[in-house]
Amino acid sequence: MSTLKVQNIQHTNGTSGITVSSGGIITQPAIPCCQCRLTTSNVHDTSNAFTTTGTDIRFDRIEINQGNCYSESTGRFTVPVAGIYEVRCHFLTHNDSTTNNQFSIFKNGTAFHRGYHGVDTQFVEFHAHALVECVAGNYITVQLDQGNIYISDDGIYSSFFVKLVG
């Protein structure tokens, strides 16, 4: 049996890749990831309900953007390194909707996963999550296909999350 005793694993340029605490907790401070929200301050549809369809949603409240992979100006998470990425998105439907609610998650402009909820006069959360294999330079976006999204000043009712998982 062999034991490797290290606190840090670094690239030859000195960038830390893995740190092990004295308690055995492993952290990876450079995992590409983002978490963003859609607020009433977004640039392309400030009305409530948000109804802009067929264009990449530009989430405007960026809470985490490790690796600077998400661009608010384009709504794109650009993949910096090849791997499998976890993608999650959720919204709250607007309660006066008279049509079905659907959004799509795209990779390089092609839909690969959807969230859907039928016509309802209630506020209902609809969401989608998936794993997607990517190469460096691929990009991930979200579009509203139909329906209405309830948005608020703080963006608490919506989120877009992408993270490298392996």
Side-chain angles (χ1 to χ4, degrees):
M1 179 164 154
S2 297
T3 302
L4 177 63
K5 295 184 178 185
V6 298
Q7 258 185 303
N8 292 296
I9 297 176
Q10 297 181 341
H11 185 271
T12 55
N13 70 5
T15 304
S16 182
I18 298 175
T19 302
V20 182
S21 75
S22 61
I25 298 170
I26 297 171
T27 58
Q28 298 171 286
I31 292 177
C33 63
C34 76
Q35 178 167 309
C36 311
R37 297 190 181 277
L38 182 64
T39 75
T40 53
S41 298
N42 76 83
V43 296
H44 58 152
D45 189 341
T46 57
S47 63
N48 198 1
F50 180 99
T51 58
T52 301
T53 59
T55 188
D56 295 337
I57 296 174
R58 291 160 53 179
F59 295 85
D60 58 302
R61 182 171 172 204
I62 302 169
E63 297 173 331
I64 297 171
N65 194 8
Q66 192 161 281
N68 202 28
C69 302
Y70 179 77
S71 169
E72 180 185 342
S73 66
T74 63
R76 291 182 176 186
F77 179 92
T78 302
V79 172
V81 14
I84 297 172
Y85 286 77
E86 177 182 11
V87 182
R88 294 178 180 259
C89 192
H90 87 269
F91 296 105
L92 187 65
T93 62
H94 198 266
N95 73 338
D96 67 354
S97 180
T98 58
T99 186
N100 297 327
N101 296 283
Q102 178 177 294
F103 70 90
S104 295
I105 301 174
F106 289 78
K107 174 183 159 188
N108 297 332
T110 300
F112 72 90
H113 203 68
R114 289 194 166 91
Y116 176 86
H117 187 270
V119 174
D120 199 329
T121 57
Q122 305 290 323
F123 286 102
V124 178
E125 183 179 356
F126 65 128
H127 59 278
H129 58 273
L131 295 175
V132 60
E133 191 168 4
C134 296
V135 298
N138 286 168
Y139 62 92
I140 299 167
T141 58
V142 177
Q143 292 184 9
L144 180 64
D145 298 322
Q146 59 182 344
N148 301 318
I149 299 172
Y150 179 80
I151 55 177
S152 61
D153 290 343
D154 59 7
I156 200 162
Y157 298 108
S158 62
S159 70
F160 175 53
F161 164 103
V162 184
K163 177 185 175 190
L164 173 67
V165 294

